[in-house]
Amino acid sequence: MAEQAGTLRRTPLSRDRILRAAVALADETGIESLSMRNLAQDLGVVPMALYKHVANKDELLDGMIDVVVGQIDAPEPDAHWKDAIRRRVLSAREALRRHPWAPLAIESRTMATPAVLAYLDSVVGTFQAGGFSADLAHHVMHTMGSRILGFSQELFDASRRAGRSGTTNPEPPAALPPEFAARFPHLAEIARAAAHDDQSVVGPGCDDQFEFEFALDLLLDGIERLHQQGWTSAHRHR
C-alpha cells in the first residue's frame, strides 16, 4: 500500500489524471460523497494541488461529464441517419450506465459542457446529412430531449426522486395495497402486467433497457415518417 501511494505521488498530476480519478471515485462511492478533499486523498496529494488544474468543484464536475461523454462511440461514416442515431444513443446509454451518477450531474449543470455541445452538434449534423431541414432537426432535438444523451426522466423512477441515480428496491407490484388498486385501477393493472426486472430504474417490474429502446424506436419511426412527408413547423398552424 505504501509503495502504491508512493507511485501515485511520483506520477505527475495533470487535469486528465484528476478528472479520471474523480470519475472512478464517483463510480465507486457516488457523486454525493465526492469532494476536493477526498479526491486529493485518493490521488495522494494535498487539496491545494488540485486547484492548479481545476478551479473549483463545478469545473471538476464539468470535466467529469466530458470524460463520460467522450466514451460515446463516434458517428459511423456513410451510415443511414436512423441507424447512426440509434447506435449513438445506445452507445451514450452504455456510457451512462457505466457511470450511474452522470445523468443527474448532466442535469445539474446550468450550461452544457464542451463535450456535450460537440456531441449534440454531431447528432444534429447526422440528421442534416440525412436530408433533414434545420427546422425539422430543431424540433426533433426537442422531442428526443435527454434521450439523445442516453437517459430519460421516467415517470416511475424512484431513484431520481430520491436524488440518486443508482437502483432502488421499490415495493413489488404484488405487494400493492388494495386501496391503491381501488383508487388507481389502471396503474395497478399495468404494474401487475409488467415483467420483473430487479435492476430497472423505470419502476417495479419494468425492463429498463427494453423500455428505453422501445421508446427510442417509436420516436425514430415517427421522425422518419415526418422526414419522408417533408414536414415543416408551418404544419403546426394547420
Side-chain angles (χ1 to χ4, degrees):
M1 183 67 70
E3 182 180 348
Q4 183 180 9
T7 301
L8 284 174
R9 282 192 291 270
R10 288 194 298 272
T11 304
L13 201 61
S14 66
R15 179 181 173 85
D16 181 68
R17 183 183 163 210
I18 290 170
L19 295 179
R20 294 187 182 281
V23 167
L25 192 58
D27 290 346
E28 182 180 354
T29 64
I31 196 71
E32 301 88 350
S33 64
L34 179 67
S35 69
M36 300 296 273
R37 181 176 297 278
N38 59 25
L39 176 59
Q41 183 177 3
D42 198 57
L43 285 165
V45 300
V46 297
M48 287 305 296
L50 302 180
Y51 292 101
K52 297 177 181 178
H53 303 276
V54 288
N56 49 45
K57 190 174 179 180
D58 280 339
E59 187 175 314
L60 178 70
L61 287 172
D62 286 346
M64 292 167 63
I65 289 168
D66 283 355
V67 168
V68 173
V69 174
Q71 297 173 5
I72 300 173
D73 291 343
E76 294 186 15
D78 303 323
H80 185 272
W81 70 264
K82 187 177 179 183
D83 294 333
I85 294 294
R86 190 178 196 276
R87 281 195 287 267
R88 294 206 77 195
V89 168
L90 292 180
S91 175
R93 180 167 177 77
E94 288 179 8
L96 267 62
R97 285 169 73 93
R98 289 193 295 269
H99 310 287
W101 50 267
L104 288 177
I106 291 172
E107 289 182 331
S108 73
R109 314 320 292 152
T110 56
M111 293 184 64
T113 68
V116 170
L117 289 173
Y119 171 73
L120 296 178
D121 183 75
S122 72
V123 168
V124 173
T126 298
F127 283 124
Q128 292 185 316
F132 282 53
S133 66
D135 179 45
L136 179 56
H138 166 221
H139 290 286
V140 164
M141 294 297 284
H142 275 292
T143 301
M144 298 289 285
S146 67
R147 199 172 296 274
I148 284 285
L149 284 160
F151 69 97
S152 58
Q153 297 179 352
E154 299 289 354
L155 288 174
F156 307 116
D157 185 354
S159 67
R160 297 181 72 81
R161 290 196 299 272
R164 299 184 302 275
S165 53
T167 57
T168 60
N169 294 304
E171 189 176 31
L176 289 175
E179 57 269 24
F180 181 95
R183 186 174 180 183
F184 309 110
H186 304 300
L187 285 177
E189 184 177 4
I190 66 170
R192 286 191 296 266
H196 276 279
D197 180 358
D198 292 339
Q199 298 304 312
S200 173
V201 296
V202 177
C206 297
D207 182 332
D208 189 27
Q209 184 68 20
F210 175 83
E211 301 299 349
F212 185 91
E213 293 190 34
F214 180 76
L216 175 61
D217 289 336
L218 282 180
L219 285 170
L220 291 175
D221 288 346
I223 290 165
E224 184 176 39
R225 185 167 60 252
L226 291 179
H227 178 42
Q228 292 170 345
Q229 294 171 352
W231 185 94
T232 73
S233 60
H235 293 153
R236 64 186 173 180
H237 301 302
R238 295 180 182 177

